[in-house]
Amino acid sequence: MRVGAAIDVTAPPDAIWAFVDDPSRYLHFMAGITRWEVVSDDASGLGARYRMLMHVGSAEIGGLVEVVEHTPGRDLAWTSVVGIDQRGRWRLRETRRDGVTRVELRLSYGVAGSGPFGWIAERVAAPTVRGHLRRSLQQLKRQVEHEQLRSAAAARRAARVA
C-alpha cells in the first residue's frame, strides 16, 4: 500500500531539512509515531538506523529502518530491515514562489502474507496512516514557520539595538 501527503512550507529547504534530518525532533512533529530512536553509531545520514513504531488502530507497527538515500536539503529515504515491510521518503523541492518549499512525505508498506487478510489489513490501515502523514506535515510546517518567525524577530531586535 502506498500513501503520501504534501504541503507547502514558507521556509527555505535547509530550514526544513534541519527538522527532517534530526531524529531527536521526530517525536515532536510526527503524528502517530510512538518511537523513533537511534540504534546506530551515526544519528543521521546514509546508513543510520532507527527503531520506529507507529500507532495504527490498537496496534503499534513498525520495526528497524535504515536510511538508504540521503541528499542534504532534498531527499531522505529509508527502508525496513526488520519488522513490517516499509519504505519511506522525505522530498523537499523549492517552488516558483519565493521562499516556499514543497515538502512530500511518502510511505509504502506491506503486511506479511500476501493473502486476502494481508490485503484487507493494508486497506483498513491506509486512512489512519494517511492521516498521520498529513498531520505530521501540518505540524512540521507549523514548527518550521514558527522558527522562521522567531529568527526574523531576533534579527530585527538585534538590528534595533545596534
Side-chain angles (χ1 to χ4, degrees):
M1 174 63 63
R2 289 183 186 179
V3 293
I7 199 166
D8 288 343
V9 179
T10 306
D14 289 343
I16 301 163
W17 187 257
F19 283 77
V20 169
D21 194 40
D22 183 354
S24 69
R25 293 183 175 196
Y26 271 48
L27 292 178
H28 298 282
F29 70 87
M30 291 291 291
I33 298 294
T34 59
R35 177 171 298 196
W36 192 281
E37 65 182 347
V38 178
V39 294
S40 58
D41 291 337
D42 295 323
S44 67
L46 201 58
R49 287 186 171 199
Y50 311 106
R51 174 147 166 74
M52 66 82 60
L53 294 174
M54 177 184 283
H55 195 252
V56 178
S58 61
E60 286 185 313
I61 60 170
L64 180 66
V65 298
E66 180 176 336
V67 175
V68 293
E69 187 177 333
H70 188 267
T71 307
R74 292 190 59 83
D75 293 289
L76 187 146
W78 67 88
T79 191
S80 58
V81 176
V82 175
I84 192 166
D85 181 36
Q86 65 170 299
R87 289 169 304 288
R89 172 177 297 276
W90 286 102
R91 188 170 185 255
L92 283 61
R93 297 294 185 267
E94 292 182 67
T95 64
R96 293 182 181 187
R97 294 179 292 163
D98 191 33
V100 176
T101 302
R102 182 77 169 169
V103 180
E104 295 178 23
L105 178 55
R106 302 178 193 161
L107 186 64
S108 299
Y109 62 92
V111 176
S114 58
F117 293 113
W119 183 85
I120 291 169
E122 289 174 7
R123 265 109 193 123
V124 167
T128 300
V129 174
R130 188 174 296 111
H132 287 329
L133 298 184
R134 285 184 185 138
R135 282 188 301 284
S136 295
L137 289 177
Q138 291 166 350
Q139 291 171 176
L140 174 67
K141 174 184 174 74
R142 188 170 24 260
Q143 287 185 21
V144 170
E145 289 179 353
H146 178 73
E147 188 65 32
Q148 292 292 296
L149 291 172
R150 288 183 61 205
S151 296
R156 285 191 304 273
R157 278 191 303 274
R160 278 193 302 244
V161 170

